[in-house]
Amino acid sequence: MTSENERYWFPAKRYGWGWGIPRRWEGWAVLIGFLVLATAGSAFFHSPERTYFLFCYHAVLVTSLVVICWKKGAPPRWRWGDKT
């Protein structure tokens, strides 16, 4: 593993497109924060009248997570497993 790859919070997946589980503590903090906020939002918006707000809330959370992964993770591209 090179030192360049170690600086990424989210490493690239070996197969497919995207990122794997976090490699650094900052990535774990982001992922745990995302899960806590998603769970809290689901509990707060837990009525049929608030379904639209729940959808918007989760859309913002997911978009934020993808942006953070894009900026702090390995460059995304399709991988077949033969290269790191």
Side-chain angles (χ1 to χ4, degrees), residues 25-41:
W25 71 267
E26 296 95 336
W28 282 107
V30 167
L31 184 61
I32 290 169
F34 170 80
L35 293 173
V36 167
L37 289 173
T39 303

Side-chain angles (χ1 to χ4, degrees), residues 39-51:
T39 303
S42 295
F44 182 74
F45 295 116
H46 183 68
S47 69
E49 299 84 27
R50 296 179 178 176
T51 302

Side-chain angles (χ1 to χ4, degrees), residues 8-10 19-20 30-31 63-76:
Y8 294 128
W9 294 4
F10 301 94
W19 304 275
V30 167
L31 184 61
T63 302
S64 300
L65 181 63
V66 170
V67 167
I68 291 170
C69 287
W70 199 286
K71 290 182 180 270
K72 296 296 186 176

